[in-house]
Structures are given as structure tokens and as C-alpha cells.
Amino acid sequence: MTRYVVARLLGMIPVLLGIVFVTMLTLDLIPGDPVALMLGDNARPEEVAALRAKLGLDQPLAVRYVRYLGNVLQGDLGRSILSNRPVLDEIADVWPKTLQLTVAAMVLAVLLGLTTGVISAVRPGGLLDALVRLLALIGLSMPVFWLGLVLLYVFAYYFRLFPVGGSGTWRHLVLPSIALAAPSIAIVSRMTRSSMLEILREDYVRTAWAKGLGERLVLVRHVLRNALIPIITVIGLQFGQLMGGAVLTETVFAWPGLGRLIVLAIFARDYILLQGSVLVFALSFVVINAAVDISYAYLDPRTRSL
């Protein structure tokens, strides 16, 4: 197991190097001169050239890539053009808010997704099963930003049960976490249902029923436990998806997180802040996926040799 964990962690290095390169290449390929856009139409050519040299954009991509990697290894992501503060400090200020929102949405997705999936699988074809599948379809079909606007209108504007936006108390967290979690609840629920239905057809489950074991014991010990492996994989992937979805959710609810910071960096054309924020998002996604793989190997030792 230790060898597998070390190999999986080492495997993150080329992925992260590739992410940094693709991020820089993408920003390079975007049409237009970012320096000219930042300074505006009235900027003089010498001012544009001076800022380009200051940002290192006058150097070839390979040189900037190696230099950026060296700075990242020293914990330096550059300075924000918008606020003139270190990018790492900017991200550190908002990162806990994004993490708080993502974890709250993930808790909702796991609790509600597993519960509704089990209920749906235990009585397939029944009224509850049909209702759960209908709600899952709605959760998958509705875009996060649209659901967020609907929740804001109904619960914040019309009934005035929750604040319209911002952060500070648990009431600020309710609506954005529900909007962000809705698609993940649907996916976890559907995966739980299909995985449990497959396990319920196994011979050892029929044997457990034939031995007279209680329904709860059979479902929890013999069915849900063996159905958890694909569900954990989906949950891990959803954690990364939730962080990506936080960009829209934070914007709709004015939640002061990393997603909103990225939007601000885009509108302010803050090239350095945007690059650092995307890198942190990507790093989080890679770390979460590695954690999922390791947990997968822990639950099913056969996967360690893959």
C-alpha cells in the first residue's frame, strides 16, 4: 500500500507540470495583447513595452515557464496587478470561503445522494423511486446559475428567509451550498441506486436473505458496503466539479471566494492573478483525485496492481 501511495503522489508531478504549461500556453494563445488591454487604448508604446518587460511577457514561453516553475517552488506566484499584493496572499484570503462552500455542498451531496439512492434502490419501481428519479433528473437538467437565481428569488427576495448574498453567518451559506450541490446530489443518488441494484442481484446477497438476516443488516453490511467503491469514485470527482462550479455560484451569490476572485481577475485583465488562481484550482483537483485513487486502493486491494 505504501508503494502505491508513493507512486500515486509521484504521478502528480508530471500532471502539475502539464497543467502549468497548458495554463500559460492558453493565456498566450488568447487573441489580443494582455498588456495593451490592461493599460487601455491611450497607453503609449513605451509604457506597454515597459509593463511587458516587467511581467516577463517579452520572453519566450519556454523561458517564462521555467522561471515561473522556479518561483512557484519558492512559494511565489507573483504580484497581482489589480491590488499590487502577492497572489498567494490574495488567494489565501478567499480560499477558506471557497473551501467552506465546497465542503458544505459536498456534505449535502453525500448525505442526500446516498439516502435517496438507497431508498430508490430498495423499492425499485415504486412511488418513492419514481419521485427520486424525477428529482434527480431535475437536478441534473437545471444549470447551477439558474437554480441559484430561482433560490434567491423565492427564499431571499419573496419569503426573506435567507440573505440575498455575501457571507458571515450560516444563513449566508444555505442557498449557495444547495445550488452548488444539486447536480452532485442527483449524480450520487443515481450512482448509488444503480450500484446497489447490481449488488442486490448477487448470489451472496440472496444467501444473506435466505439465512434470515435483518433487512438493515443485509443492506448496510452486504449491499451498501460493496456498492461504495464506484460511489466513492464519483464523490471524489464531484468534489473537483463542485470547486469548478463554485465560480458561477460565488458570482451569483456574491460569495467572496476563489471563483469570484477569478471572475474579477478576468474583468480586470489581471494576468498574473488569473494564472495563479487557475493553478491553485487545478492543484486542488489533482490532490482530490489522488486521494480518491488511494481510498479506492484501500477499499479494493486488487486495484493497487493497476
Side-chain angles (χ1 to χ4, degrees), residues 137-192:
L137 186 62
I138 294 173
L140 283 173
S141 307
M142 191 172 290
V144 170
F145 73 91
W146 178 250
L147 179 59
L149 292 174
V150 171
L151 291 175
L152 275 178
Y153 179 78
V154 175
F155 296 103
Y157 174 74
Y158 192 80
F159 289 113
R160 300 184 184 279
L161 295 176
F162 299 101
V164 175
S167 67
T169 66
W170 66 268
R171 296 174 70 240
H172 290 89
L173 188 61
V174 174
L175 295 183
S177 58
I178 291 174
L180 185 60
S184 298
I185 293 172
I187 292 173
V188 173
S189 176
R190 290 172 71 100
M191 175 55 71
T192 304

Side-chain angles (χ1 to χ4, degrees), residues 2 62 75 81 94 99 101 138 196 201 203 232 249:
T2 304
I81 299 169
V94 297
L99 196 61
L101 178 60
I138 294 173
M196 283 194 65
R201 299 188 190 100
D203 290 338
I232 287 175
T249 310

